Amino acid sequence: MNATFYSLSNSRHGAEEWGHHHHHEAPDSSHGKKTRESERNHRTTEAEPKPLEEPKHETKKLKSLSEYAQTLQLGWNGLLVLKNSCFPTSMHILEGDQGVISSLLKDHTSGSKLTQLKIAQRLRLDQPKLDEVTRRIKQGSPNGYAVLLATQAAPGGPGSEGTPAVEPGLQRRLLRNLVSYLKQKQAAGVISLPVGGSKGRDSTGMLYAFPPCDFSQQYLQSALRTLGKLEEEHMVIVIVRDTA
């Protein structure tokens, strides 16, 4: 049965409200005091809230998922490829082990970091298949998996100096087009790792690229609490190392 498992319903979790200012009022000055003194009291109370304003600059209010991603550790950036299109993507680590990313997302002929990942398979968002991915994540914990937040790579953004040139025949497109395609297919993109097959004792694994759905939202609860709602197109990437 085709489970229409994912939903784009906005979660009802509201953003935590920060910075509620308590208005400090000056104690009533006795009627016998001079008005000049009460004016001075008023001036000092006006100055009092200033220290409460300062943390706003230190912890800048995050407005988008891309800004939230910048607070996380960069796991990978490069091009996701599907058919004749490529999508400049940044992936930031939500949880799991950095070692899984560096060992599986590398070019095994040169030993350097992969700059391109080609989606060749699809995984339907059916409950049994999602349960299998969850089982693999649990089996790989704590050092055999990683979950990343994929967002549109900003030109000139952090880590973008390594973004590769687009191969001839590939059309550069925005990540939201890939997200829309996967949503329409009700599927996750799948990539077998390492790219090009394993040699000898190389570790192997799988990468799953999930569009927004119930499964992916479970990894974005912290982002949801911070932002209130997740409007920007994004994907959640799950990388699992095969267990022996």
Side-chain angles (χ1 to χ4, degrees), residues 110-129:
S110 66
S112 59
K113 178 182 83 91
L114 281 174
T115 55
Q116 188 171 293
L117 290 168
K118 187 165 191 172
I119 296 170
Q121 300 161 271
R122 287 204 309 255
L123 177 85
R124 280 196 65 79
L125 300 178
D126 293 334
Q127 195 59 50
K129 294 193 169 68

